[in-house]
Amino acid sequence: MARLTIRLDFDSGASIGPGKVRLLETIDRTHSIRKSAEEMGMSFRQAWLLLKAIEETFGEPVIATSRGGARGGGSALTALGHAVVARYRRLEAAAQLAGKTEMDALEASSRLARPASRGRRLPRKSPKPA
Amino acid sequence: MARLTIRLDFDSGASIGPGKVRLLETIDRTHSIRKSAEEMGMSFRQAWLLLKAIEETFGEPVIATSRGGARGGGSALTALGHAVVARYRRLEAAAQLAGKTEMDALEASSRLARPASRGRRLPRKSPKPA
């Protein structure tokens, strides 16, 4: 089945999409920015910049970091962080449901693709601009 | 108002998103791959590779190019090309409508952002991984 991914652009110019949301979800699970970055194949700095961008979008922290303690501290989502993830995932689910007819039709068309076909397809090499 | 953008990933690994759809729409308007590439700030080759990718996704041409004739030839969308654009835009509209509640809530949260706030925000410089 076709899978839908959503990106939201706000009036402010800020945006939120699958990468930022998955980072929040991964921090929620691992309680570690470093581990989450590793798991997602990005540097600690990249992850940190994404978190900073989300924070600037919403004006409040989306993660809280504690130091020390019996479990050695760690990062957790704030209430806002949880709300952003939940709303994005609900939006995605609603969109997936609402767009099912069109998605199924597009998926069905894509299944008709016959890679071996040599009909009227574009030539392998790009022609000169015309 | 927040604006939603959709990307579809098919089981085959193929995908379709705003860039490919906008390219088709621009060709539909300009009747020229070259002009469309220019308008979208990409090279002719990039545009051509996107068209080739869409064609491979759906197994049939999405544009037809005529040469010569009274109007000097040009490119036009095939019925499949039109259908892909129409279905994608309908999917987008359905998703935008279905996700309105969550999008409005996220947009409202983002409007609360106060760039001047110096509360508990992340420090400007990234801390050491912890």
Side-chain angles (χ1 to χ4, degrees), chain B residues 33-89:
Chain B
I33 303 178
R34 183 183 56 73
K35 277 186 205 156
S36 300
E38 243 170 47
E39 196 175 310
M40 289 181 67
M42 61 174 82
S43 67
F44 178 83
R45 182 175 160 76
Q46 276 179 300
W48 187 87
L49 288 173
L50 285 179
L51 291 171
K52 180 107 186 112
I54 307 170
E55 181 181 309
E56 279 183 2
T57 299
F58 296 106
E60 295 288 338
V62 286
I63 63 160
T65 300
S66 60
R67 290 181 184 283
R71 294 167 62 191
S75 297
L77 299 195
T78 62
L80 176 65
H82 280 293
V84 168
V85 169
R87 286 195 187 284
Y88 178 88
R89 290 303 181 196

Side-chain angles (χ1 to χ4, degrees), chain A residues 114-122 124, chain B residues 55 59:
Chain A
R114 290 155 303 175
S117 154
R118 300 179 61 204
R120 298 170 301 147
R121 315 183 108 214
L122 286 170
R124 284 207 171 268
Chain B
E55 181 181 309

